[in-house]
């Protein structure tokens, strides 16, 4: 299985040709994974950003098996409008984006997993998991383990309480929660609370280049793919066995 990872777009269109080229040569088992944050650019105007988001939705509808769309912290404020707040929010676009997200909600998920690789917007820290272990157990009916963590996160999306857990924002990111959830955690904290036997692929925190911290012996670590502020032609491609 080959995987092309598309990090936070924020209105950027540089994904189109690399994704088209990848899919043209891709096998049925290959995947393109968008890590979320399609909106809330600080440089792209409303209409081009909206058009770009619609193009992402159309791609997902054309390629339902090979394209995965994840949710980021800049997606929740529109999908669940007006329950969440985030920087860069476009109030003038909120009604249209809310309708688009709600109409196409089935196209999105919080997490996707292939073997020991876990894909989310920002990552899952051990501190967040431990702080919310009981609440997660009560909401989804089972404990979160390395082999079922993606399914567990996606099930949390179905309830208001679950969404609040996913959205948790610590003081480090300007919130009031004790820890950061999978939409907000930063690499500095992810590295201190790594989940064993998982390699996490995330966006959310801009880097000069794709950044990797992996212990190959234990298959534990993370890769930050969000580098398009500085290196717009750099895309992460993985070759996995599933």
């Amino acid at each position: 299985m080959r995987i092309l990872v598309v990090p936070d777009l924020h209105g950027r269109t540089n994904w189109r040709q690399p994704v088209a080229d990848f899919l043209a040569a891709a096998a049925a088992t290959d995947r393109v994974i968008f890590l979320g944050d399609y909106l809330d650019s600080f440089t792209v105007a409303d209409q081009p950003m909206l058009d770009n988001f619609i193009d992402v939705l159309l791609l997902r509808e054309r390629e339902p098996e090979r394209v995965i769309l994840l949710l980021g912290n800049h997606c929740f404020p529109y999908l669940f409008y007006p329950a969440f707040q985030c920087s860069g929010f476009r109030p003038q676009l909120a009604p249209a984006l809310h309708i688009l997200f709600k109409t196409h909600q089935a196209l999105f998920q919080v997490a996707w997993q292939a073997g020991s690789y876990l894909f989310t917007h920002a990552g899952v820290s051990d501190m967040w998991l431990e702080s919310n272990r009981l609440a997660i157990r009560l909401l989804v009916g089972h404990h979160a383990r390395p082999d079922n963590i993606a399914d567990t996160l996606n099930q949390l999306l179905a309830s208001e309480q679950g969404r609040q857990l996913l959205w948790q924002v610590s003081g480090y990111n300007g919130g009031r929660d004790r820890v950061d959830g999978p939409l907000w955690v930063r690499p500095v904290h992810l590295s201190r609370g790594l989940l064993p036997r998982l390699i996490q692929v995330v966006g959310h925190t801009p880097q000069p280049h794709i950044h990797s911290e992996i212990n190959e012996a234990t298959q534990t670590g993370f890769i930050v793919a969000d580098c398009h502020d500085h290196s717009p032609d750099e895309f992460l491609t993985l070759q996995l066995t599933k």
Side-chain angles (χ1 to χ4, degrees), residues 20 30 80 84 99 102 138 153 170 173 192 204-205 211 237:
D30 295 338
F80 302 111
F84 300 97
I99 292 171
K102 292 297 289 186
L138 292 173
L153 297 178
S170 76
N173 284 304
R192 297 172 187 168
H204 185 54
T205 303
H211 177 72
T237 304

Side-chain angles (χ1 to χ4, degrees), residues 212-228:
S212 177
E213 295 185 21
I214 299 173
N215 184 323
E216 297 290 350
T218 62
Q219 286 293 284
T220 300
F222 63 89
I223 304 171
V224 185
D226 185 11
C227 64
H228 287 179

Side-chain angles (χ1 to χ4, degrees), residues 1-14:
M1 173 190 291
R2 293 177 65 241
I3 296 178
L4 175 68
V5 178
V6 182
D8 311 31
L9 292 185
H10 293 298
R12 284 186 286 259
T13 60
N14 61 319

Side-chain angles (χ1 to χ4, degrees), residues 24-235:
T29 56
D30 295 338
R31 297 290 183 269
V32 176
I33 302 180
F34 287 78
L35 297 179
D37 280 9
Y38 312 93
L39 304 158
D40 292 351
S41 169
F42 289 100
T43 59
V44 181
D46 284 359
Q47 193 60 53
M49 189 175 68
L50 179 59
D51 291 343
N52 192 48
F53 180 53
I54 292 172
D55 285 343
V56 173
L57 295 176
L58 291 173
L59 173 68
R60 173 63 173 79
E61 290 183 328
R62 290 195 305 270
E63 294 281 357
E65 300 299 324
R66 298 196 296 177
V67 173
I68 308 294
L69 302 184
L70 301 185
L71 293 167
N73 58 307
H74 288 272
C75 301
F76 263 45
Y78 300 109
L79 176 55
F80 302 111
Y81 178 77
F84 300 97
Q85 299 294 321
C86 197
S87 63
F89 181 73
R90 302 281 180 101
Q92 66 276 19
L93 282 182
L97 288 172
H98 177 62
I99 292 171
L100 277 173
F101 268 111
K102 292 297 289 186
T103 303
H104 298 89
Q105 186 170 352
L107 304 184
F108 295 92
Q109 55 200 85
V110 175
W112 188 80
Q113 190 167 357
S116 62
Y117 280 77
L118 175 67
F119 299 80
T120 63
H121 177 64
V124 182
S125 72
D126 183 67
M127 291 85 75
W128 176 81
L129 205 56
E130 286 301 319
S131 295
N132 296 290
R133 189 170 293 278
L134 178 58
I136 292 171
R137 171 70 175 82
L138 292 173
L139 286 170
V140 304
H142 61 255
H143 289 295
R145 307 184 311 271
D147 64 325
N148 73 0
I149 187 69
D151 288 341
T152 300
L153 297 178
N154 290 326
Q155 288 180 62
L156 288 175
L157 191 64
S159 69
E160 182 178 348
Q161 287 177 291
R163 294 191 288 270
Q164 292 293 340
L165 296 183
L166 294 169
W167 180 261
Q168 285 183 344
V169 190
S170 76
Y172 187 84
N173 284 304
R176 297 183 178 181
D177 295 303
R178 291 179 54 222
V179 293
D180 289 300
L183 301 175
W184 282 99
V185 67
R186 301 291 180 179
V188 64
H189 295 128
L190 193 60
S191 64
R192 297 172 187 168
L194 290 172
L195 299 182
R197 304 183 304 282
L198 283 178
I199 296 172
Q200 300 195 47
V201 181
V202 303
H204 185 54
T205 303
Q207 308 287 316
H209 297 281
I210 294 169
H211 177 72
S212 177
E213 295 185 21
I214 299 173
N215 184 323
E216 297 290 350
T218 62
Q219 286 293 284
T220 300
F222 63 89
I223 304 171
V224 185
D226 185 11
C227 64
H228 287 179
D229 280 349
H230 306 281
S231 305
D233 297 324
E234 191 173 340
F235 285 82

